[in-house]
Amino acid sequence: MSDTHTSTQDCAQFSSIFLERVVAGGDRFKTVEFFRGARIFDPSYAKNLSREQAMDLIDKLGHYPVFSEVGDKNIVARLKKAWNAYHKNARSVLATFGKNKDGKKDS
């Protein structure tokens, strides 16, 4: 068996295991949606979101069972509750590194 064949099998096996762990049943659509929602953790992206867009992204995180547990452990609900503070902090992040707040190149 060639190294390429073994590598392809390993990748397929990893992908299968990963999908099973991230989203119950290995639903690829839900996995993609989860990763779209994870963009909320990039402050340079999050700072330009409206509240409605942010809530939609946070809801997508609910595809991963750990984020949508019942009660106080529900991370989705906690993220929604903390959105205003997070958004305020995210707006202070420079999206283009190497430039100052005025958009001018750092010396």
Side-chain angles (χ1 to χ4, degrees), residues 38-102:
R39 294 183 298 172
I40 198 79
F41 296 115
D42 176 1
S44 62
Y45 180 79
K47 73 181 191 176
N48 297 314
L49 296 174
S50 69
R51 181 172 182 77
E52 182 179 337
Q53 291 169 321
M55 295 302 117
D56 185 50
L57 288 177
I58 293 170
D59 281 337
K60 292 177 189 305
L61 295 174
H63 291 302
Y64 185 40
V66 171
F67 280 79
S68 57
E69 291 183 9
V70 179
D72 292 341
K73 293 183 180 183
N74 188 310
I75 296 171
V76 169
R78 292 169 66 191
L79 286 169
K80 285 182 172 187
K81 189 175 180 181
W83 169 249
N84 289 337
Y86 177 71
H87 191 235
K88 181 180 176 183
N89 289 332
R91 287 187 302 218
S92 68
V93 172
L94 295 176
T96 308
F97 297 99
K99 294 186 178 182
N100 62 23
K101 288 184 180 183
D102 299 327

Side-chain angles (χ1 to χ4, degrees), residues 98 100 104-107:
N100 62 23
K104 296 178 184 174
K105 190 173 181 179
D106 285 339
S107 308

Side-chain angles (χ1 to χ4, degrees), residues 7 27 35 81 90:
S7 179
D27 186 319
F35 282 108
K81 189 175 180 181

